[in-house]
Amino acid sequence: MGKLSGLLVFLLVVHSVSSLKCYVCSSTSNEHCNRNAEECRAPLDTCMTTVDILGQVKAIVKQCSSSRTCTGASGTASLDASGNGNEVTCCSSNLCNLSTATTTQLCTWLLSLSLCLLILLIQQDG
């Protein structure tokens, strides 16, 4: 029984460490949204942020989601030429949905660009 008890304790520790936490809210302010974090329960494995835009009005919804649901929603999201519509972003690390969808996409793009420049600099030195 000792080995079984040890295995059970190990699995509980691993499960608690690997639980995803997301910001969860419904607001017009990103700052207000970032006040409430929640631990996602299986099968919810993704933090999903939806930003609906109509003129100067933004509605932000942050929630735990399944990766399949979030990917599907992001595939159908779009903005028109005036900037109206919706944006959806998906991420899967703890509290990764801190920013609004637009900011998250911009940060990801800038991080990728920085990484590419770093690789080019390393290759030139070598």
Side-chain angles (χ1 to χ4, degrees):
M1 268 309 230
K3 290 180 182 180
L4 185 59
S5 297
L7 180 60
L8 181 60
V9 169
F10 174 76
L11 290 174
L12 288 173
V13 169
V14 169
H15 174 71
S16 65
V17 169
S18 64
S19 295
L20 178 66
K21 288 184 182 178
C22 299
Y23 288 105
V24 178
C25 70
S26 179
S27 179
T28 57
S29 162
N30 192 50
E31 290 75 27
H32 178 54
C33 273
N34 295 336
R35 294 180 186 161
N36 186 34
E38 191 173 287
E39 190 169 301
C40 300
R41 294 185 177 187
L44 307 180
D45 59 355
T46 301
C47 298
M48 179 173 162
T49 302
T50 304
V51 180
D52 292 314
I53 304 166
L54 182 58
Q56 297 298 316
V57 179
K58 282 187 181 181
I60 303 168
V61 176
K62 296 183 180 189
Q63 62 191 14
C64 295
S65 174
S66 70
S67 59
R68 183 179 216 166
T69 299
C70 194
T71 301
S74 66
T76 60
S78 67
L79 296 175
D80 65 16
S82 301
N84 295 318
N86 63 13
E87 298 176 303
V88 176
T89 55
C90 311
C91 58
S92 57
S93 60
N94 281 329
L95 304 177
C96 60
N97 61 339
L98 178 68
S99 301
T100 59
T102 304
T103 306
T104 302
Q105 289 172 348
L106 179 61
C107 289
T108 301
W109 185 83
L110 289 173
L111 182 61
S112 298
L113 179 63
S114 299
L115 183 60
C116 288
L117 290 173
L118 181 63
I119 290 170
L120 286 173
L121 288 172
I122 290 171
Q123 287 178 346
Q124 284 181 347
D125 287 340

